Amino acid sequence: MKLWFPLCLMMTIISGCSSSGEESSMQENQANNTPPTTADIVQEQPVTRTPDRLFWKPPEGWVGDVMPFNNGDRIELFYLQDWRDGAPGFHPIFHVTTSNLTDYTYHGEVIPFSEIGKQDLAIGTGSAIQVGDMYHFFYTGHNWMFPDEDKPKEAVMHAVSKDLKSWTKIPEDTFYAPEGYERHDFRDPFVIFNEEKQEYWMLVSARKEGVAGGVLALFTSKDLSHWEVGEPLKVEDTDKYFMLECADLFKMGDTWYMVFSEFSDMGATHYRMSKSLDGPWIKPEQDMFDGKGFYAAKTGAIGDRRYLFGWVPTRQNEKDYMKWDWAGNMAVHQIVQHPDGTLSVKAPDEVETLFSKETAIRQKLVLGEASGESENMTINAQGGMSGIVFDQLPATAKITGTVTFDSDVSYTGFVVGVGEEAERAYGIRLEPSERRLRYDAAPGKELRSLKPDLQVPAVLEAGKPYTFTIIIENDACSFYINGVSLTARIYKMPGHSWGWYSGGGTTTLEQLKLFLPES
């Protein structure tokens, strides 16, 4: 969000803030402190971009939808490669592997798209399954030219491999939306073996004629070549979603989980629960893991730990105020299962342990009323806004702490990018009354009337301490609190000052710490 806090911070130094409303209160608060010089805030050293390890991307191009395949103590990650070269064909399937989520082996292209006139001129999401010594990949064949030729735009296609590296397409196994389904929206096959029924199940993102919202069409097979259509799965509270994209099924304990992404302006990943693959698939109270900055998430496992793999998009022209692109860097959350069967997410254990070097947090400026040391602080913003600005944020870092706020706090949160262009500083803020986290690329004074740029539901109660973790690498970050994450890309983040701010009431920060990777 373009925060009014850092804007007033800079404008107070230069010419003073507006004398009305919230801005006036902030100016009065600032008058109680020794005004800093411009040099105190904007003279910062350039920060060198670090390798993309935690939010991985290929040497060239960008990561689109990720399709994990479990392989014991390592995971095979297939993904749609986004070249952005304007060619008629796009999104070949590329391959990368990891055993620790911090070191990746890049294998490059494994399933190319075809030439003009073929069904898979472009490739869409799919999934891999192993049967004996053979691997099967089912994926979306997408030809954006075909509707003009009265042909279906999308189809399910099949490829096989002996080694996960060299794949052979089987064009004769291609199949299309059956009667009663819309022919152009038929994509993202996910295949699993149903042990109970001794048959293969395939879920396909589709739209059924006469049905509000998208559906997950069900197909069954005994041989992975011939598929019979069944009834769509009954998934609670999905009528408002145009499509349920990138579906995934997995089991933890005695509970089955379905993960899918909402194809809409919200663009979020959801989940449902069931004691059986037959359903019913029930919606939990908190059914979102993250916001629009973490899309098309599918799950995979390393050993006994399961993770969500999605992508955090870039923005046009690498500007924080421009539109979001399709594809970006891979982002990973670890899944946590609770005693009642519900799920939440946290920073992966492997990523957490990478940050073993604690470094000092140096305070640069107090705006308004705040007290305490760098690790334990109280921010009093009764009737306005107050905040604390710290020194330059490293390119790769982990920030941890505990935040508590009283019932008068309307928002409180993390701000980054405080520098020469303070009107383009951004942040992630907690909004207790709205029961959400939000990130915005809009002036703070306008946020009350704007739909959030990114948001995720979060239950946040006054007087209750919440631990949080923020993972930062270059211009990507994930803010974890109370079982959810808000992932965002903020180009103004590395190399600029950062801080914490509060609007109304009193916010207390305890054990605020900054960690760097050991190497």
PDB file of all heavy atoms in Angstrom, residues 241 260 262 266-272 283-292 294 308 333 343-345 437 454-458 482-486:
ATOM      1  N   TYR A 241     -17.792 -19.290  -8.293  1.00  0.00           N
ATOM      2  CA  TYR A 241     -16.504 -19.328  -8.991  1.00  0.00           C
ATOM      3  C   TYR A 241     -16.711 -19.740 -10.448  1.00  0.00           C
ATOM      4  O   TYR A 241     -17.273 -20.804 -10.722  1.00  0.00           O
ATOM      5  CB  TYR A 241     -15.548 -20.308  -8.315  1.00  0.00           C
ATOM      6  CG  TYR A 241     -15.307 -20.054  -6.846  1.00  0.00           C
ATOM      7  CD1 TYR A 241     -15.127 -21.102  -5.970  1.00  0.00           C
ATOM      8  CD2 TYR A 241     -15.278 -18.755  -6.345  1.00  0.00           C
ATOM      9  CE1 TYR A 241     -14.890 -20.877  -4.618  1.00  0.00           C
ATOM     10  CE2 TYR A 241     -15.059 -18.513  -5.000  1.00  0.00           C
ATOM     11  CZ  TYR A 241     -14.870 -19.578  -4.137  1.00  0.00           C
ATOM     12  OH  TYR A 241     -14.661 -19.339  -2.801  1.00  0.00           O
ATOM     13  N   PHE A 260      -8.052 -26.200  -4.752  1.00  0.00           N
ATOM     14  CA  PHE A 260      -8.345 -25.658  -6.073  1.00  0.00           C
ATOM     15  C   PHE A 260      -8.178 -24.146  -6.041  1.00  0.00           C
ATOM     16  O   PHE A 260      -8.177 -23.524  -4.973  1.00  0.00           O
ATOM     17  CB  PHE A 260      -9.760 -26.024  -6.529  1.00  0.00           C
ATOM     18  CG  PHE A 260     -10.845 -25.440  -5.672  1.00  0.00           C
ATOM     19  CD1 PHE A 260     -11.390 -24.186  -5.938  1.00  0.00           C
ATOM     20  CD2 PHE A 260     -11.333 -26.152  -4.576  1.00  0.00           C
ATOM     21  CE1 PHE A 260     -12.383 -23.643  -5.136  1.00  0.00           C
ATOM     22  CE2 PHE A 260     -12.323 -25.611  -3.759  1.00  0.00           C
ATOM     23  CZ  PHE A 260     -12.847 -24.362  -4.044  1.00  0.00           C
ATOM     24  N   GLU A 262      -9.476 -20.372  -7.390  1.00  0.00           N
ATOM     25  CA  GLU A 262     -10.653 -19.631  -7.828  1.00  0.00           C
ATOM     26  C   GLU A 262     -10.298 -18.727  -9.008  1.00  0.00           C
ATOM     27  O   GLU A 262      -9.498 -17.800  -8.875  1.00  0.00           O
ATOM     28  CB  GLU A 262     -11.157 -18.809  -6.643  1.00  0.00           C
ATOM     29  CG  GLU A 262     -12.117 -17.700  -6.963  1.00  0.00           C
ATOM     30  CD  GLU A 262     -12.297 -16.741  -5.803  1.00  0.00           C
ATOM     31  OE1 GLU A 262     -11.788 -17.031  -4.702  1.00  0.00           O
ATOM     32  OE2 GLU A 262     -12.941 -15.697  -6.007  1.00  0.00           O
ATOM     33  N   MET A 266     -10.522 -12.303  -7.460  1.00  0.00           N
ATOM     34  CA  MET A 266      -9.844 -12.637  -6.210  1.00  0.00           C
ATOM     35  C   MET A 266      -8.638 -13.540  -6.468  1.00  0.00           C
ATOM     36  O   MET A 266      -7.577 -13.384  -5.867  1.00  0.00           O
ATOM     37  CB  MET A 266     -10.815 -13.325  -5.252  1.00  0.00           C
ATOM     38  CG  MET A 266     -11.819 -12.390  -4.622  1.00  0.00           C
ATOM     39  SD  MET A 266     -11.055 -11.351  -3.355  1.00  0.00           S
ATOM     40  CE  MET A 266     -10.696 -12.575  -2.108  1.00  0.00           C
ATOM     41  N   GLY A 267      -8.805 -14.548  -7.318  1.00  0.00           N
ATOM     42  CA  GLY A 267      -7.698 -15.404  -7.712  1.00  0.00           C
ATOM     43  C   GLY A 267      -7.030 -16.158  -6.588  1.00  0.00           C
ATOM     44  O   GLY A 267      -5.813 -16.303  -6.592  1.00  0.00           O
ATOM     45  N   ALA A 268      -7.766 -16.655  -5.601  1.00  0.00           N
ATOM     46  CA  ALA A 268      -7.163 -17.283  -4.437  1.00  0.00           C
ATOM     47  C   ALA A 268      -7.223 -18.804  -4.527  1.00  0.00           C
ATOM     48  O   ALA A 268      -8.001 -19.375  -5.276  1.00  0.00           O
ATOM     49  CB  ALA A 268      -7.858 -16.809  -3.168  1.00  0.00           C
ATOM     50  N   THR A 269      -6.393 -19.466  -3.701  1.00  0.00           N
ATOM     51  CA  THR A 269      -6.401 -20.921  -3.579  1.00  0.00           C
ATOM     52  C   THR A 269      -7.205 -21.310  -2.339  1.00  0.00           C
ATOM     53  O   THR A 269      -6.983 -20.774  -1.256  1.00  0.00           O
ATOM     54  CB  THR A 269      -4.974 -21.476  -3.477  1.00  0.00           C
ATOM     55  OG1 THR A 269      -4.268 -21.153  -4.693  1.00  0.00           O
ATOM     56  CG2 THR A 269      -4.979 -22.981  -3.318  1.00  0.00           C
ATOM     57  N   HIS A 270      -8.133 -22.265  -2.501  1.00  0.00           N
ATOM     58  CA  HIS A 270      -9.020 -22.714  -1.432  1.00  0.00           C
ATOM     59  C   HIS A 270      -8.824 -24.201  -1.170  1.00  0.00           C
ATOM     60  O   HIS A 270      -8.187 -24.905  -1.958  1.00  0.00           O
ATOM     61  CB  HIS A 270     -10.483 -22.485  -1.828  1.00  0.00           C
ATOM     62  CG  HIS A 270     -10.833 -21.077  -2.149  1.00  0.00           C
ATOM     63  ND1 HIS A 270     -11.479 -20.244  -1.271  1.00  0.00           N
ATOM     64  CD2 HIS A 270     -10.637 -20.340  -3.283  1.00  0.00           C
ATOM     65  CE1 HIS A 270     -11.674 -19.051  -1.832  1.00  0.00           C
ATOM     66  NE2 HIS A 270     -11.165 -19.087  -3.048  1.00  0.00           N
ATOM     67  N   TYR A 271      -9.443 -24.681  -0.091  1.00  0.00           N
ATOM     68  CA  TYR A 271      -9.472 -26.125   0.126  1.00  0.00           C
ATOM     69  C   TYR A 271     -10.802 -26.562   0.705  1.00  0.00           C
ATOM     70  O   TYR A 271     -11.550 -25.770   1.276  1.00  0.00           O
ATOM     71  CB  TYR A 271      -8.307 -26.578   1.005  1.00  0.00           C
ATOM     72  CG  TYR A 271      -8.479 -26.427   2.502  1.00  0.00           C
ATOM     73  CD1 TYR A 271      -8.904 -27.499   3.295  1.00  0.00           C
ATOM     74  CD2 TYR A 271      -8.205 -25.220   3.143  1.00  0.00           C
ATOM     75  CE1 TYR A 271      -9.044 -27.366   4.668  1.00  0.00           C
ATOM     76  CE2 TYR A 271      -8.341 -25.080   4.516  1.00  0.00           C
ATOM     77  CZ  TYR A 271      -8.765 -26.157   5.278  1.00  0.00           C
ATOM     78  OH  TYR A 271      -8.906 -26.024   6.639  1.00  0.00           O
ATOM     79  N   ARG A 272     -11.104 -27.869   0.512  1.00  0.00           N
ATOM     80  CA  ARG A 272     -12.274 -28.512   1.088  1.00  0.00           C
ATOM     81  C   ARG A 272     -11.833 -29.816   1.746  1.00  0.00           C
ATOM     82  O   ARG A 272     -10.750 -30.329   1.462  1.00  0.00           O
ATOM     83  CB  ARG A 272     -13.334 -28.797   0.007  1.00  0.00           C
ATOM     84  CG  ARG A 272     -13.861 -27.548  -0.700  1.00  0.00           C
ATOM     85  CD  ARG A 272     -14.694 -26.694   0.231  1.00  0.00           C
ATOM     86  NE  ARG A 272     -15.332 -25.555  -0.451  1.00  0.00           N
ATOM     87  CZ  ARG A 272     -14.815 -24.341  -0.525  1.00  0.00           C
ATOM     88  NH1 ARG A 272     -13.634 -24.097   0.034  1.00  0.00           N
ATOM     89  NH2 ARG A 272     -15.473 -23.373  -1.131  1.00  0.00           N
ATOM     90  N   LYS A 283     -16.676 -27.163   3.201  1.00  0.00           N
ATOM     91  CA  LYS A 283     -15.877 -25.945   3.330  1.00  0.00           C
ATOM     92  C   LYS A 283     -15.593 -25.651   4.798  1.00  0.00           C
ATOM     93  O   LYS A 283     -16.513 -25.512   5.594  1.00  0.00           O
ATOM     94  CB  LYS A 283     -16.630 -24.766   2.711  1.00  0.00           C
ATOM     95  CG  LYS A 283     -15.912 -23.435   2.839  1.00  0.00           C
ATOM     96  CD  LYS A 283     -16.767 -22.307   2.278  1.00  0.00           C
ATOM     97  CE  LYS A 283     -16.091 -20.951   2.465  1.00  0.00           C
ATOM     98  NZ  LYS A 283     -16.913 -19.840   1.930  1.00  0.00           N
ATOM     99  N   PRO A 284     -14.316 -25.544   5.199  1.00  0.00           N
ATOM    100  CA  PRO A 284     -14.004 -25.124   6.570  1.00  0.00           C
ATOM    101  C   PRO A 284     -14.242 -23.624   6.727  1.00  0.00           C
ATOM    102  O   PRO A 284     -14.381 -22.898   5.734  1.00  0.00           O
ATOM    103  CB  PRO A 284     -12.521 -25.465   6.713  1.00  0.00           C
ATOM    104  CG  PRO A 284     -11.989 -25.347   5.315  1.00  0.00           C
ATOM    105  CD  PRO A 284     -13.105 -25.775   4.402  1.00  0.00           C
ATOM    106  N   GLU A 285     -14.283 -23.160   7.973  1.00  0.00           N
ATOM    107  CA  GLU A 285     -14.535 -21.736   8.211  1.00  0.00           C
ATOM    108  C   GLU A 285     -13.470 -20.864   7.555  1.00  0.00           C
ATOM    109  O   GLU A 285     -13.783 -19.843   6.944  1.00  0.00           O
ATOM    110  CB  GLU A 285     -14.587 -21.455   9.713  1.00  0.00           C
ATOM    111  CG  GLU A 285     -14.897 -20.009  10.048  1.00  0.00           C
ATOM    112  CD  GLU A 285     -15.005 -19.751  11.536  1.00  0.00           C
ATOM    113  OE1 GLU A 285     -14.871 -20.718  12.324  1.00  0.00           O
ATOM    114  OE2 GLU A 285     -15.210 -18.586  11.930  1.00  0.00           O
ATOM    115  N   GLN A 286     -12.206 -21.225   7.690  1.00  0.00           N
ATOM    116  CA  GLN A 286     -11.100 -20.513   7.032  1.00  0.00           C
ATOM    117  C   GLN A 286     -10.625 -21.412   5.895  1.00  0.00           C
ATOM    118  O   GLN A 286      -9.915 -22.381   6.106  1.00  0.00           O
ATOM    119  CB  GLN A 286      -9.963 -20.253   8.013  1.00  0.00           C
ATOM    120  CG  GLN A 286      -8.681 -19.713   7.384  1.00  0.00           C
ATOM    121  CD  GLN A 286      -8.832 -18.289   6.863  1.00  0.00           C
ATOM    122  OE1 GLN A 286      -9.411 -17.438   7.509  1.00  0.00           O
ATOM    123  NE2 GLN A 286      -8.298 -18.038   5.679  1.00  0.00           N
ATOM    124  N   ASP A 287     -11.035 -21.109   4.664  1.00  0.00           N
ATOM    125  CA  ASP A 287     -10.747 -22.019   3.549  1.00  0.00           C
ATOM    126  C   ASP A 287      -9.685 -21.500   2.596  1.00  0.00           C
ATOM    127  O   ASP A 287      -9.378 -22.147   1.594  1.00  0.00           O
ATOM    128  CB  ASP A 287     -12.023 -22.322   2.771  1.00  0.00           C
ATOM    129  CG  ASP A 287     -12.431 -21.202   1.825  1.00  0.00           C
ATOM    130  OD1 ASP A 287     -12.405 -20.020   2.247  1.00  0.00           O
ATOM    131  OD2 ASP A 287     -12.761 -21.501   0.665  1.00  0.00           O
ATOM    132  N   MET A 288      -9.109 -20.328   2.884  1.00  0.00           N
ATOM    133  CA  MET A 288      -8.069 -19.751   2.042  1.00  0.00           C
ATOM    134  C   MET A 288      -6.728 -19.799   2.761  1.00  0.00           C
ATOM    135  O   MET A 288      -6.646 -19.576   3.963  1.00  0.00           O
ATOM    136  CB  MET A 288      -8.404 -18.304   1.678  1.00  0.00           C
ATOM    137  CG  MET A 288      -9.517 -18.158   0.670  1.00  0.00           C
ATOM    138  SD  MET A 288     -10.024 -16.423   0.432  1.00  0.00           S
ATOM    139  CE  MET A 288      -8.484 -15.670  -0.097  1.00  0.00           C
ATOM    140  N   PHE A 289      -5.676 -20.058   2.001  1.00  0.00           N
ATOM    141  CA  PHE A 289      -4.326 -20.089   2.552  1.00  0.00           C
ATOM    142  C   PHE A 289      -3.597 -18.760   2.385  1.00  0.00           C
ATOM    143  O   PHE A 289      -2.734 -18.399   3.171  1.00  0.00           O
ATOM    144  CB  PHE A 289      -3.492 -21.162   1.853  1.00  0.00           C
ATOM    145  CG  PHE A 289      -4.041 -22.548   1.969  1.00  0.00           C
ATOM    146  CD1 PHE A 289      -4.656 -23.157   0.889  1.00  0.00           C
ATOM    147  CD2 PHE A 289      -3.944 -23.253   3.153  1.00  0.00           C
ATOM    148  CE1 PHE A 289      -5.148 -24.449   0.985  1.00  0.00           C
ATOM    149  CE2 PHE A 289      -4.432 -24.541   3.265  1.00  0.00           C
ATOM    150  CZ  PHE A 289      -5.042 -25.144   2.172  1.00  0.00           C
ATOM    151  N   ASP A 290      -3.905 -18.047   1.328  1.00  0.00           N
ATOM    152  CA  ASP A 290      -3.152 -16.860   0.924  1.00  0.00           C
ATOM    153  C   ASP A 290      -4.049 -16.048   0.013  1.00  0.00           C
ATOM    154  O   ASP A 290      -5.205 -16.417  -0.239  1.00  0.00           O
ATOM    155  CB  ASP A 290      -1.855 -17.301   0.206  1.00  0.00           C
ATOM    156  CG  ASP A 290      -0.743 -16.252   0.244  1.00  0.00           C
ATOM    157  OD1 ASP A 290      -1.064 -15.050   0.143  1.00  0.00           O
ATOM    158  OD2 ASP A 290       0.430 -16.624   0.361  1.00  0.00           O
ATOM    159  N   GLY A 291      -3.532 -14.946  -0.502  1.00  0.00           N
ATOM    160  CA  GLY A 291      -4.301 -14.095  -1.390  1.00  0.00           C
ATOM    161  C   GLY A 291      -3.947 -14.303  -2.852  1.00  0.00           C
ATOM    162  O   GLY A 291      -3.377 -15.317  -3.255  1.00  0.00           O
ATOM    163  N   LYS A 292      -4.261 -13.299  -3.649  1.00  0.00           N
ATOM    164  CA  LYS A 292      -4.068 -13.362  -5.095  1.00  0.00           C
ATOM    165  C   LYS A 292      -2.597 -13.397  -5.477  1.00  0.00           C
ATOM    166  O   LYS A 292      -2.245 -13.785  -6.595  1.00  0.00           O
ATOM    167  CB  LYS A 292      -4.752 -12.141  -5.736  1.00  0.00           C
ATOM    168  CG  LYS A 292      -4.814 -12.164  -7.236  1.00  0.00           C
ATOM    169  CD  LYS A 292      -5.578 -10.944  -7.752  1.00  0.00           C
ATOM    170  CE  LYS A 292      -5.649 -10.943  -9.275  1.00  0.00           C
ATOM    171  NZ  LYS A 292      -6.406  -9.769  -9.776  1.00  0.00           N
ATOM    172  N   PHE A 294      -0.503 -15.448  -4.544  1.00  0.00           N
ATOM    173  CA  PHE A 294      -0.043 -16.834  -4.450  1.00  0.00           C
ATOM    174  C   PHE A 294      -1.084 -17.670  -5.162  1.00  0.00           C
ATOM    175  O   PHE A 294      -2.078 -18.088  -4.581  1.00  0.00           O
ATOM    176  CB  PHE A 294       0.089 -17.236  -2.977  1.00  0.00           C
ATOM    177  CG  PHE A 294       0.535 -18.653  -2.739  1.00  0.00           C
ATOM    178  CD1 PHE A 294       1.863 -19.003  -2.852  1.00  0.00           C
ATOM    179  CD2 PHE A 294      -0.382 -19.635  -2.377  1.00  0.00           C
ATOM    180  CE1 PHE A 294       2.272 -20.314  -2.612  1.00  0.00           C
ATOM    181  CE2 PHE A 294       0.016 -20.935  -2.131  1.00  0.00           C
ATOM    182  CZ  PHE A 294       1.347 -21.283  -2.258  1.00  0.00           C
ATOM    183  N   LEU A 308       2.560 -26.466  -0.175  1.00  0.00           N
ATOM    184  CA  LEU A 308       1.815 -25.846  -1.264  1.00  0.00           C
ATOM    185  C   LEU A 308       2.798 -25.110  -2.156  1.00  0.00           C
ATOM    186  O   LEU A 308       3.604 -24.303  -1.668  1.00  0.00           O
ATOM    187  CB  LEU A 308       0.809 -24.837  -0.725  1.00  0.00           C
ATOM    188  CG  LEU A 308      -0.577 -25.304  -0.301  1.00  0.00           C
ATOM    189  CD1 LEU A 308      -1.288 -24.152   0.404  1.00  0.00           C
ATOM    190  CD2 LEU A 308      -1.398 -25.754  -1.494  1.00  0.00           C
ATOM    191  N   HIS A 333       4.613 -22.776   0.743  1.00  0.00           N
ATOM    192  CA  HIS A 333       4.160 -22.768   2.135  1.00  0.00           C
ATOM    193  C   HIS A 333       4.132 -24.203   2.651  1.00  0.00           C
ATOM    194  O   HIS A 333       3.819 -25.133   1.897  1.00  0.00           O
ATOM    195  CB  HIS A 333       2.746 -22.200   2.272  1.00  0.00           C
ATOM    196  CG  HIS A 333       2.572 -20.822   1.753  1.00  0.00           C
ATOM    197  ND1 HIS A 333       3.549 -19.842   1.847  1.00  0.00           N
ATOM    198  CD2 HIS A 333       1.508 -20.222   1.119  1.00  0.00           C
ATOM    199  CE1 HIS A 333       3.084 -18.706   1.320  1.00  0.00           C
ATOM    200  NE2 HIS A 333       1.868 -18.922   0.867  1.00  0.00           N
ATOM    201  N   LEU A 343      -6.714 -27.125   8.105  1.00  0.00           N
ATOM    202  CA  LEU A 343      -5.351 -26.871   7.664  1.00  0.00           C
ATOM    203  C   LEU A 343      -4.989 -25.398   7.827  1.00  0.00           C
ATOM    204  O   LEU A 343      -5.849 -24.516   7.793  1.00  0.00           O
ATOM    205  CB  LEU A 343      -5.180 -27.254   6.186  1.00  0.00           C
ATOM    206  CG  LEU A 343      -5.503 -28.686   5.784  1.00  0.00           C
ATOM    207  CD1 LEU A 343      -5.317 -28.855   4.276  1.00  0.00           C
ATOM    208  CD2 LEU A 343      -4.639 -29.684   6.543  1.00  0.00           C
ATOM    209  N   SER A 344      -3.717 -25.147   7.984  1.00  0.00           N
ATOM    210  CA  SER A 344      -3.179 -23.794   7.933  1.00  0.00           C
ATOM    211  C   SER A 344      -1.806 -23.878   7.275  1.00  0.00           C
ATOM    212  O   SER A 344      -1.348 -24.964   6.909  1.00  0.00           O
ATOM    213  CB  SER A 344      -3.083 -23.169   9.324  1.00  0.00           C
ATOM    214  OG  SER A 344      -2.176 -23.884  10.138  1.00  0.00           O
ATOM    215  N   VAL A 345      -1.142 -22.739   7.117  1.00  0.00           N
ATOM    216  CA  VAL A 345       0.180 -22.724   6.501  1.00  0.00           C
ATOM    217  C   VAL A 345       1.166 -21.962   7.366  1.00  0.00           C
ATOM    218  O   VAL A 345       0.780 -21.114   8.189  1.00  0.00           O
ATOM    219  CB  VAL A 345       0.154 -22.106   5.082  1.00  0.00           C
ATOM    220  CG1 VAL A 345      -0.618 -22.985   4.118  1.00  0.00           C
ATOM    221  CG2 VAL A 345      -0.411 -20.689   5.102  1.00  0.00           C
ATOM    222  N   LEU A 437      -5.911  -9.606   6.337  1.00  0.00           N
ATOM    223  CA  LEU A 437      -4.663  -8.932   6.021  1.00  0.00           C
ATOM    224  C   LEU A 437      -4.843  -8.328   4.637  1.00  0.00           C
ATOM    225  O   LEU A 437      -5.513  -8.917   3.772  1.00  0.00           O
ATOM    226  CB  LEU A 437      -3.491  -9.912   5.968  1.00  0.00           C
ATOM    227  CG  LEU A 437      -2.739 -10.243   7.257  1.00  0.00           C
ATOM    228  CD1 LEU A 437      -3.638 -11.047   8.184  1.00  0.00           C
ATOM    229  CD2 LEU A 437      -1.482 -11.052   6.922  1.00  0.00           C
ATOM    230  N   LEU A 454      -4.398  -6.929  -2.642  1.00  0.00           N
ATOM    231  CA  LEU A 454      -4.278  -8.322  -2.210  1.00  0.00           C
ATOM    232  C   LEU A 454      -4.903  -8.424  -0.829  1.00  0.00           C
ATOM    233  O   LEU A 454      -4.764  -7.515  -0.015  1.00  0.00           O
ATOM    234  CB  LEU A 454      -2.815  -8.766  -2.121  1.00  0.00           C
ATOM    235  CG  LEU A 454      -1.950  -8.698  -3.376  1.00  0.00           C
ATOM    236  CD1 LEU A 454      -0.502  -9.049  -3.026  1.00  0.00           C
ATOM    237  CD2 LEU A 454      -2.471  -9.619  -4.468  1.00  0.00           C
ATOM    238  N   GLN A 455      -5.555  -9.543  -0.546  1.00  0.00           N
ATOM    239  CA  GLN A 455      -6.121  -9.727   0.783  1.00  0.00           C
ATOM    240  C   GLN A 455      -6.305 -11.209   1.066  1.00  0.00           C
ATOM    241  O   GLN A 455      -6.400 -12.025   0.147  1.00  0.00           O
ATOM    242  CB  GLN A 455      -7.459  -9.007   0.920  1.00  0.00           C
ATOM    243  CG  GLN A 455      -8.554  -9.533  -0.004  1.00  0.00           C
ATOM    244  CD  GLN A 455      -9.871  -8.841   0.237  1.00  0.00           C
ATOM    245  OE1 GLN A 455     -10.296  -8.658   1.368  1.00  0.00           O
ATOM    246  NE2 GLN A 455     -10.540  -8.429  -0.844  1.00  0.00           N
ATOM    247  N   VAL A 456      -6.348 -11.550   2.353  1.00  0.00           N
ATOM    248  CA  VAL A 456      -6.657 -12.901   2.789  1.00  0.00           C
ATOM    249  C   VAL A 456      -7.415 -12.800   4.103  1.00  0.00           C
ATOM    250  O   VAL A 456      -7.068 -11.976   4.963  1.00  0.00           O
ATOM    251  CB  VAL A 456      -5.379 -13.756   2.941  1.00  0.00           C
ATOM    252  CG1 VAL A 456      -4.439 -13.194   3.996  1.00  0.00           C
ATOM    253  CG2 VAL A 456      -5.721 -15.202   3.254  1.00  0.00           C
ATOM    254  N   PRO A 457      -8.496 -13.560   4.284  1.00  0.00           N
ATOM    255  CA  PRO A 457      -9.210 -13.530   5.560  1.00  0.00           C
ATOM    256  C   PRO A 457      -8.308 -13.964   6.704  1.00  0.00           C
ATOM    257  O   PRO A 457      -7.490 -14.884   6.557  1.00  0.00           O
ATOM    258  CB  PRO A 457     -10.356 -14.530   5.351  1.00  0.00           C
ATOM    259  CG  PRO A 457     -10.525 -14.619   3.867  1.00  0.00           C
ATOM    260  CD  PRO A 457      -9.152 -14.448   3.295  1.00  0.00           C
ATOM    261  N   ALA A 458      -8.444 -13.311   7.846  1.00  0.00           N
ATOM    262  CA  ALA A 458      -7.668 -13.659   9.032  1.00  0.00           C
ATOM    263  C   ALA A 458      -8.429 -13.203  10.265  1.00  0.00           C
ATOM    264  O   ALA A 458      -8.828 -12.043  10.353  1.00  0.00           O
ATOM    265  CB  ALA A 458      -6.290 -13.002   8.994  1.00  0.00           C
ATOM    266  N   ASN A 482      -1.103 -16.245  12.302  1.00  0.00           N
ATOM    267  CA  ASN A 482      -2.320 -16.951  12.674  1.00  0.00           C
ATOM    268  C   ASN A 482      -2.774 -17.967  11.624  1.00  0.00           C
ATOM    269  O   ASN A 482      -3.962 -18.095  11.331  1.00  0.00           O
ATOM    270  CB  ASN A 482      -3.454 -15.955  12.956  1.00  0.00           C
ATOM    271  CG  ASN A 482      -4.530 -16.552  13.853  1.00  0.00           C
ATOM    272  OD1 ASN A 482      -4.259 -17.460  14.638  1.00  0.00           O
ATOM    273  ND2 ASN A 482      -5.742 -16.051  13.735  1.00  0.00           N
ATOM    274  N   GLY A 483      -1.820 -18.678  11.023  1.00  0.00           N
ATOM    275  CA  GLY A 483      -2.152 -19.781  10.133  1.00  0.00           C
ATOM    276  C   GLY A 483      -2.379 -19.440   8.684  1.00  0.00           C
ATOM    277  O   GLY A 483      -2.675 -20.324   7.872  1.00  0.00           O
ATOM    278  N   VAL A 484      -2.298 -18.160   8.324  1.00  0.00           N
ATOM    279  CA  VAL A 484      -2.432 -17.773   6.920  1.00  0.00           C
ATOM    280  C   VAL A 484      -1.187 -17.001   6.489  1.00  0.00           C
ATOM    281  O   VAL A 484      -0.351 -16.616   7.317  1.00  0.00           O
ATOM    282  CB  VAL A 484      -3.688 -16.908   6.667  1.00  0.00           C
ATOM    283  CG1 VAL A 484      -4.945 -17.680   7.026  1.00  0.00           C
ATOM    284  CG2 VAL A 484      -3.625 -15.593   7.430  1.00  0.00           C
ATOM    285  N   SER A 485      -1.083 -16.796   5.196  1.00  0.00           N
ATOM    286  CA  SER A 485       0.021 -16.002   4.654  1.00  0.00           C
ATOM    287  C   SER A 485      -0.533 -14.987   3.674  1.00  0.00           C
ATOM    288  O   SER A 485      -1.569 -15.226   3.031  1.00  0.00           O
ATOM    289  CB  SER A 485       1.020 -16.919   3.923  1.00  0.00           C
ATOM    290  OG  SER A 485       1.987 -16.150   3.224  1.00  0.00           O
ATOM    291  N   LEU A 486       0.128 -13.855   3.575  1.00  0.00           N
ATOM    292  CA  LEU A 486      -0.138 -12.922   2.489  1.00  0.00           C
ATOM    293  C   LEU A 486       1.179 -12.743   1.744  1.00  0.00           C
ATOM    294  O   LEU A 486       2.150 -12.220   2.301  1.00  0.00           O
ATOM    295  CB  LEU A 486      -0.652 -11.572   2.985  1.00  0.00           C
ATOM    296  CG  LEU A 486      -1.188 -10.664   1.875  1.00  0.00           C
ATOM    297  CD1 LEU A 486      -2.397 -11.294   1.196  1.00  0.00           C
ATOM    298  CD2 LEU A 486      -1.562  -9.292   2.408  1.00  0.00           C
TER     299      LEU A 486
END
